[in-house]
Amino acid sequence: MVTSELENSKIETVSTSNNMALNNGLSQNNVQSQSDDKHFSYFSLYIVFQIIGLLLIFAVGFWIFVFRGGVGFSESKIIFNWHPLLMTIGFVYLFANSILHYRTFRHKNKRDLKNQHAIIHGCIIILILLAGWASFASHLYNNPPIPNLYTLHSWLGVVTILMFLSQFIGGFMSFLYPGIAVQYREAIMPYHVFFGVFNFALVIATSLLGLCEKLIFSLKDEYRTFPNEGLFGNFIGLLFMVFGGLVVFMVTKPEYKRHSKPEDSMLLSQGSE
């Protein structure tokens, strides 16, 4: 009887262990399945995001070359056309890609992601400076010269650029420059993320305002007659809106967030983040 009870106890123990292992396996499979579904959902949206972003650049280029005379350095109107083209490439498309960089390449080493994030922002700054030069130069070389910084678009543009530069400097000092205490990095991060998204929203708003301003200044009374350029310009505005909304959705959805890895903590402790 004692032997039988011991054998039954062993059988129950083995059965319980097998059930626990089976349940753990099913649980891990469910977690993995949910993770795969989230990744598939994100990258499906990422493909749409890239298509809309490239279409936006193409649409702005088409508008400039077909309706606005192209780009160049021969006269003020042609010089100005560099401004919307470079701003769209740098301040809209590249900025959006830099915001989503961590979520898109979530399996990469975080140190590499940080360096790439900073490099993209450096390229954006170069394009912003060239675009700003195009705007000021076109006003200066116009006959008669056009005053600078008198429109709401220009005011918002200055605020948006200064905020971006502040984000870049603050991010570099906080997350790339060694020697900052871990608790300060962790405290700063939520604000860095929030102001980054807010900055991008300002970029979209400023772009829409500048596009509308350019159409009104260029077409004047003809704008109300539904000309081809006016309709195409409105279409570009809708692309800006859809692109901006998609980026904000992707960067604020918790399920798409990059999860921390063990090496991330090592980077923090070593002052390499």
Side-chain angles (χ1 to χ4, degrees):
M1 290 292 292
V2 174
T3 304
S4 178
E5 289 178 358
L6 288 173
E7 290 177 351
N8 289 336
S9 176
K10 290 179 180 180
I11 292 172
E12 289 177 359
T13 302
V14 172
S15 177
T16 302
S17 299
N18 290 338
N19 288 334
M20 290 179 62
L22 179 61
N23 290 333
N24 289 335
L26 291 174
S27 177
Q28 291 177 357
N29 288 337
N30 288 335
V31 171
Q32 183 64 37
S33 177
Q34 292 176 0
S35 177
D36 292 341
D37 289 342
K38 291 174 184 177
H39 290 173
F40 178 78
S41 174
Y42 175 84
F43 282 104
S44 297
L45 285 177
Y46 182 76
I47 292 173
V48 176
F49 152 78
Q50 289 291 350
I51 292 173
I52 296 176
L54 294 174
L55 179 61
L56 179 59
I57 294 175
F58 174 80
V60 171
F62 183 86
W63 170 55
I64 288 172
F65 282 93
V66 173
F67 295 103
R68 295 284 96 212
V71 294
F73 304 96
S74 58
E75 56 180 294
S76 62
K77 293 180 179 180
I78 303 299
I79 293 174
F80 176 83
N81 289 339
W82 287 105
H83 179 78
L85 182 61
L86 295 178
M87 282 294 188
T88 302
I89 296 172
F91 224 3
V92 178
Y93 180 73
L94 288 183
F95 192 7
N97 275 275
S98 72
I99 290 175
L100 296 174
H101 195 68
Y102 287 95
R103 300 188 173 207
T104 303
F105 303 98
R106 64 188 66 212
H107 300 299
K108 299 292 185 179
N109 180 278
K110 194 169 186 180
R111 179 182 296 169
D112 294 336
L113 291 177
K114 286 181 177 295
N115 292 332
Q116 293 161 10
H117 185 73
I119 290 172
I120 295 173
H121 277 232
C123 295
I124 294 171
I125 291 174
I126 293 174
L127 293 175
I128 289 173
L129 293 176
L130 292 175
W133 170 85
S135 178
F136 280 94
S138 66
H139 288 183
L140 179 64
Y141 295 138
N142 192 72
N143 189 19
I146 301 173
N148 289 302
L149 303 177
Y150 69 93
T151 65
L152 179 59
H153 166 69
S154 61
W155 286 22
L156 281 180
V158 171
V159 171
T160 305
I161 292 172
L162 290 178
M163 182 179 293
F164 183 85
L165 293 176
S166 299
Q167 278 280 101
F168 179 78
I169 295 172
F172 179 83
M173 296 298 296
S174 301
F175 305 115
L176 285 177
Y177 187 78
I180 304 297
V182 174
Q183 60 267 28
Y184 293 124
R185 297 173 188 267
E186 294 177 344
I188 291 171
M189 177 58 72
Y191 298 98
H192 183 71
V193 172
F194 168 78
F195 282 107
V197 177
F198 179 60
N199 197 183
F200 179 75
L202 274 181
V203 168
I204 297 298
T206 306
S207 300
L208 288 171
L209 194 60
L211 175 64
C212 184
E213 176 186 292
K214 182 61 177 179
L215 291 173
I216 292 174
F217 286 175
S218 300
L219 299 176
K220 299 182 174 62
D221 291 339
E222 185 186 356
Y223 195 12
R224 68 183 69 179
T225 64
F226 299 94
N228 291 335
E229 182 178 357
L231 294 175
F232 191 75
N234 291 346
F235 169 73
I236 294 175
L238 292 177
L239 282 179
F240 272 114
M241 181 190 68
V242 173
F243 184 74
L246 182 59
V247 172
V248 172
F249 173 77
M250 293 172 69
V251 79
T252 56
K253 192 172 177 60
E255 291 85 346
Y256 296 157
K257 184 178 180 181
R258 178 187 184 274
H259 297 294
S260 298
K261 298 181 178 182
E263 61 265 24
D264 297 346
S265 300
M266 294 178 60
L267 284 174
L268 278 171
S269 62
Q270 292 172 0
S272 302
E273 178 168 84

